Amino acid sequence: MSTATPAAAAAPDTVLVVDFGAQYAQLIARRVREARVYSEIVPSSMPVQEMLAKNPAAIILSGGPSSVYEEGAPTVDRSLFEAGVPVFGMCYGFQLMAQALGGTVDNSGAREYGRTTMTVSRPSSTLFEGTPDEQAVWMSHGDACSAAPEGFTVTASTDVVPVAAFENDEKRLYGVQHHPEVMHSTHGQQVLEHFLYRGAGLSPTWTTGNVIEEQVEAIREQVGTKRAICALSGGVDSAVAAALVQKAIGSQLTCVYVDHGLMRKGETAQVEKDFVAATGVQLRVVDAEKRFLTALEGVSDPEEKRKIIGREFIRVFEQAQAEIIAEAGASGEPVEFLVQGTLYPDVVESGGGTGTANIKSHHNVGGLPEDLEFQLIEPLRKLFKDEVRMVGQELGLPEEIVQRQPFPGPGLGIRIVGEVTKERLDLLREADAIAREELTAAGLDREIWQCPVVLLADVRSVGVQGDGRTYGHPIVLRPVSSEDAMTADWSRLPYDVLSKISTRITNEVRDVNRVVLDVTSKPPGTIEWE
Ligand code: XMP
């Protein structure tokens, strides 16, 4: 598959976040954007020259798991601090800055992990003005800075580290030992904004509105008079990507929605009606329920199910695509572009924004064929999920689509433990709809990350309902809280909400006589049951 870099749009003031490992850099980049300044992540292995060639408005050095004393630990060349670009070092980045500029970093056992009280000794400093003298900060370090480099003013300390923050206003270099990007640092966002606005002199002007304008222009230029297709999955990313491309090229785009019969209640209708009404997109719906159910007959193994669903999806999509290409070809308009809802975290995790598309099969509807001769249009590849939702909102997409919680490509097929049948799917759809309805009514949608509802089709238990004994199936509720789905905790939902869901499901859903709650974090359990 070939890729195309979208036509260059005027670059906004960009803050580069240098990634020293762990997951801090993505969070920092998100926080910078929350401050309405555009940010991009670059790996710490990138030579300083290359970073400076990007003409950054400022640079942030992230934290990381290494010790500056470790053999082979990532470093940064001193020239980065001498280029006149404002720099903010956080945690490991702070220690690197201290060390590179002649300060002292000791490996003396002055460790701090977790919530710590930091005392600000210079309340009028650039970073701390207007913040309390004592503030809660999140620490995670084994080494500590005991002397700031020459020319720097120490602005904060803790009981354990004498130099918890420093700054050199003249050179526009700043550093803090803590992690301002995490929510446990109570004034972290303010400190970050002080760096951006006061230290680096940036203005809060970046918005997702700018992204729409930029992308529309870039897509028009890229596509010209040719045609594009897009597979809609019912999820947020493909919906927003399609809406954006539709805004740019209108009827030159055709969307394909493969209805595999594994969607939740009402979701197919939302795509067919509400999404089309909101965008005016040309949509081809392929009703492939029978085909998927036939292929899944007699299969209980989760991996086998995933493979079958992925394979069938590709076949159905390819067939629809061939038809669209044939029709377009007859009118002399070649279909040369494929729209994908790739997001920034996928780009960063697959090697970092260099223009190569790396499609993670796990996060796509079954994965797309390798040999497609398409150029990719990926209008969301610089955005985080919450920004994608904002773009969707601005494009006027229905709330139910924009705020949709993550839902796996293989759909309810991997939420039935046991063989997938139409009857079981209908039953699970009812139970899932009740759980969703009650969570929404209780105002809990934004608090939980997602709540898979699982049917244990291979398990039966005895119950008593109405006048008699029943021998039905359990439904599992799996509400989780998470920031990125890599780790998760089970959500502590109010008992009355759980009780209402349980009562309604056992009363209203045939063959279900028990509702159980999954109280396992991830790890060790995954979010989905299969
Ligand atoms: P797990 O179960 O691995 O899920 O903890 C992590 C996140 O990924 C979603 N998920 C999938 N998404 N195709 C997808 O598009 C899949 O095959 C798939 N499996 C899991 C899951 O819902 C959760 O958000």
PDB file of all heavy atoms in Angstrom, residues 176-190:
ATOM      1  N   VAL A 176      11.620  21.494  36.012  1.00  0.00           N
ATOM      2  CA  VAL A 176      11.009  21.053  37.277  1.00  0.00           C
ATOM      3  C   VAL A 176      11.282  19.567  37.462  1.00  0.00           C
ATOM      4  O   VAL A 176      11.291  18.807  36.483  1.00  0.00           O
ATOM      5  CB  VAL A 176       9.478  21.303  37.318  1.00  0.00           C
ATOM      6  CG1 VAL A 176       9.149  22.791  37.274  1.00  0.00           C
ATOM      7  CG2 VAL A 176       8.747  20.563  36.207  1.00  0.00           C
ATOM      8  N   GLN A 177      11.485  19.163  38.722  1.00  0.00           N
ATOM      9  CA  GLN A 177      11.739  17.761  38.996  1.00  0.00           C
ATOM     10  C   GLN A 177      10.457  16.919  38.897  1.00  0.00           C
ATOM     11  O   GLN A 177      10.492  15.739  38.603  1.00  0.00           O
ATOM     12  CB  GLN A 177      12.349  17.626  40.399  1.00  0.00           C
ATOM     13  CG  GLN A 177      12.603  16.201  40.856  1.00  0.00           C
ATOM     14  CD  GLN A 177      13.540  15.456  39.913  1.00  0.00           C
ATOM     15  OE1 GLN A 177      14.724  15.738  39.848  1.00  0.00           O
ATOM     16  NE2 GLN A 177      12.997  14.518  39.143  1.00  0.00           N
ATOM     17  N   HIS A 178       9.305  17.550  39.101  1.00  0.00           N
ATOM     18  CA  HIS A 178       8.062  16.760  39.142  1.00  0.00           C
ATOM     19  C   HIS A 178       7.458  16.584  37.739  1.00  0.00           C
ATOM     20  O   HIS A 178       8.035  17.010  36.746  1.00  0.00           O
ATOM     21  CB  HIS A 178       7.057  17.402  40.103  1.00  0.00           C
ATOM     22  CG  HIS A 178       6.518  18.730  39.662  1.00  0.00           C
ATOM     23  ND1 HIS A 178       7.150  19.924  39.911  1.00  0.00           N
ATOM     24  CD2 HIS A 178       5.388  19.059  38.993  1.00  0.00           C
ATOM     25  CE1 HIS A 178       6.425  20.923  39.422  1.00  0.00           C
ATOM     26  NE2 HIS A 178       5.346  20.419  38.856  1.00  0.00           N
ATOM     27  N   HIS A 179       6.292  15.960  37.726  1.00  0.00           N
ATOM     28  CA  HIS A 179       5.546  15.768  36.472  1.00  0.00           C
ATOM     29  C   HIS A 179       4.355  16.716  36.455  1.00  0.00           C
ATOM     30  O   HIS A 179       3.285  16.375  36.947  1.00  0.00           O
ATOM     31  CB  HIS A 179       5.032  14.325  36.381  1.00  0.00           C
ATOM     32  CG  HIS A 179       6.092  13.328  36.086  1.00  0.00           C
ATOM     33  ND1 HIS A 179       6.484  13.030  34.812  1.00  0.00           N
ATOM     34  CD2 HIS A 179       6.864  12.579  36.899  1.00  0.00           C
ATOM     35  CE1 HIS A 179       7.442  12.124  34.837  1.00  0.00           C
ATOM     36  NE2 HIS A 179       7.697  11.833  36.102  1.00  0.00           N
ATOM     37  N   PRO A 180       4.483  17.892  35.845  1.00  0.00           N
ATOM     38  CA  PRO A 180       3.345  18.815  35.825  1.00  0.00           C
ATOM     39  C   PRO A 180       2.187  18.305  34.970  1.00  0.00           C
ATOM     40  O   PRO A 180       1.065  18.760  35.109  1.00  0.00           O
ATOM     41  CB  PRO A 180       3.926  20.104  35.222  1.00  0.00           C
ATOM     42  CG  PRO A 180       5.212  19.740  34.619  1.00  0.00           C
ATOM     43  CD  PRO A 180       5.670  18.449  35.202  1.00  0.00           C
ATOM     44  N   GLU A 181       2.472  17.333  34.103  1.00  0.00           N
ATOM     45  CA  GLU A 181       1.428  16.880  33.165  1.00  0.00           C
ATOM     46  C   GLU A 181       0.402  15.961  33.805  1.00  0.00           C
ATOM     47  O   GLU A 181      -0.665  15.754  33.230  1.00  0.00           O
ATOM     48  CB  GLU A 181       2.085  16.181  31.956  1.00  0.00           C
ATOM     49  CG  GLU A 181       2.658  14.793  32.192  1.00  0.00           C
ATOM     50  CD  GLU A 181       4.066  14.787  32.794  1.00  0.00           C
ATOM     51  OE1 GLU A 181       4.500  15.838  33.329  1.00  0.00           O
ATOM     52  OE2 GLU A 181       4.723  13.739  32.740  1.00  0.00           O
ATOM     53  N   VAL A 182       0.709  15.378  34.962  1.00  0.00           N
ATOM     54  CA  VAL A 182      -0.275  14.454  35.548  1.00  0.00           C
ATOM     55  C   VAL A 182      -1.229  15.208  36.467  1.00  0.00           C
ATOM     56  O   VAL A 182      -0.860  16.204  37.090  1.00  0.00           O
ATOM     57  CB  VAL A 182       0.374  13.260  36.308  1.00  0.00           C
ATOM     58  CG1 VAL A 182       1.380  12.545  35.426  1.00  0.00           C
ATOM     59  CG2 VAL A 182       1.018  13.704  37.606  1.00  0.00           C
ATOM     60  N   MET A 183      -2.444  14.706  36.556  1.00  0.00           N
ATOM     61  CA  MET A 183      -3.464  15.474  37.276  1.00  0.00           C
ATOM     62  C   MET A 183      -3.180  15.573  38.774  1.00  0.00           C
ATOM     63  O   MET A 183      -3.694  16.455  39.442  1.00  0.00           O
ATOM     64  CB  MET A 183      -4.843  14.893  37.017  1.00  0.00           C
ATOM     65  CG  MET A 183      -4.995  13.492  37.522  1.00  0.00           C
ATOM     66  SD  MET A 183      -6.596  12.872  37.067  1.00  0.00           S
ATOM     67  CE  MET A 183      -6.568  11.287  37.853  1.00  0.00           C
ATOM     68  N   HIS A 184      -2.356  14.669  39.303  1.00  0.00           N
ATOM     69  CA  HIS A 184      -2.051  14.743  40.746  1.00  0.00           C
ATOM     70  C   HIS A 184      -1.180  15.951  41.089  1.00  0.00           C
ATOM     71  O   HIS A 184      -1.054  16.306  42.247  1.00  0.00           O
ATOM     72  CB  HIS A 184      -1.346  13.478  41.215  1.00  0.00           C
ATOM     73  CG  HIS A 184      -2.035  12.231  40.788  1.00  0.00           C
ATOM     74  ND1 HIS A 184      -3.191  11.779  41.374  1.00  0.00           N
ATOM     75  CD2 HIS A 184      -1.756  11.356  39.800  1.00  0.00           C
ATOM     76  CE1 HIS A 184      -3.585  10.675  40.770  1.00  0.00           C
ATOM     77  NE2 HIS A 184      -2.731  10.405  39.808  1.00  0.00           N
ATOM     78  N   SER A 185      -0.532  16.537  40.084  1.00  0.00           N
ATOM     79  CA  SER A 185       0.206  17.783  40.330  1.00  0.00           C
ATOM     80  C   SER A 185      -0.818  18.899  40.212  1.00  0.00           C
ATOM     81  O   SER A 185      -1.221  19.276  39.112  1.00  0.00           O
ATOM     82  CB  SER A 185       1.331  17.970  39.306  1.00  0.00           C
ATOM     83  OG  SER A 185       2.283  16.948  39.444  1.00  0.00           O
ATOM     84  N   THR A 186      -1.251  19.413  41.369  1.00  0.00           N
ATOM     85  CA  THR A 186      -2.463  20.242  41.371  1.00  0.00           C
ATOM     86  C   THR A 186      -2.347  21.521  40.544  1.00  0.00           C
ATOM     87  O   THR A 186      -3.339  22.008  40.043  1.00  0.00           O
ATOM     88  CB  THR A 186      -2.871  20.607  42.818  1.00  0.00           C
ATOM     89  OG1 THR A 186      -1.700  21.082  43.481  1.00  0.00           O
ATOM     90  CG2 THR A 186      -3.452  19.421  43.551  1.00  0.00           C
ATOM     91  N   HIS A 187      -1.140  22.069  40.411  1.00  0.00           N
ATOM     92  CA  HIS A 187      -0.998  23.287  39.613  1.00  0.00           C
ATOM     93  C   HIS A 187      -0.178  23.061  38.354  1.00  0.00           C
ATOM     94  O   HIS A 187       0.354  23.991  37.764  1.00  0.00           O
ATOM     95  CB  HIS A 187      -0.405  24.412  40.477  1.00  0.00           C
ATOM     96  CG  HIS A 187      -1.388  24.866  41.515  1.00  0.00           C
ATOM     97  ND1 HIS A 187      -1.621  24.140  42.656  1.00  0.00           N
ATOM     98  CD2 HIS A 187      -2.245  25.899  41.533  1.00  0.00           C
ATOM     99  CE1 HIS A 187      -2.583  24.734  43.353  1.00  0.00           C
ATOM    100  NE2 HIS A 187      -2.981  25.793  42.694  1.00  0.00           N
ATOM    101  N   GLY A 188      -0.088  21.798  37.967  1.00  0.00           N
ATOM    102  CA  GLY A 188       0.751  21.418  36.827  1.00  0.00           C
ATOM    103  C   GLY A 188       0.394  22.137  35.536  1.00  0.00           C
ATOM    104  O   GLY A 188       1.278  22.622  34.824  1.00  0.00           O
ATOM    105  N   GLN A 189      -0.893  22.211  35.239  1.00  0.00           N
ATOM    106  CA  GLN A 189      -1.289  22.830  33.979  1.00  0.00           C
ATOM    107  C   GLN A 189      -0.925  24.312  33.978  1.00  0.00           C
ATOM    108  O   GLN A 189      -0.487  24.855  32.971  1.00  0.00           O
ATOM    109  CB  GLN A 189      -2.796  22.625  33.733  1.00  0.00           C
ATOM    110  CG  GLN A 189      -3.303  23.085  32.376  1.00  0.00           C
ATOM    111  CD  GLN A 189      -2.741  22.270  31.192  1.00  0.00           C
ATOM    112  OE1 GLN A 189      -2.131  21.227  31.355  1.00  0.00           O
ATOM    113  NE2 GLN A 189      -2.931  22.785  29.989  1.00  0.00           N
ATOM    114  N   GLN A 190      -1.086  24.931  35.150  1.00  0.00           N
ATOM    115  CA  GLN A 190      -0.750  26.360  35.263  1.00  0.00           C
ATOM    116  C   GLN A 190       0.756  26.571  35.044  1.00  0.00           C
ATOM    117  O   GLN A 190       1.174  27.502  34.346  1.00  0.00           O
ATOM    118  CB  GLN A 190      -1.161  26.832  36.660  1.00  0.00           C
ATOM    119  CG  GLN A 190      -1.516  28.285  36.739  1.00  0.00           C
ATOM    120  CD  GLN A 190      -2.022  28.645  38.133  1.00  0.00           C
ATOM    121  OE1 GLN A 190      -2.405  27.774  38.919  1.00  0.00           O
ATOM    122  NE2 GLN A 190      -2.003  29.926  38.447  1.00  0.00           N
TER     123      GLN A 190
END
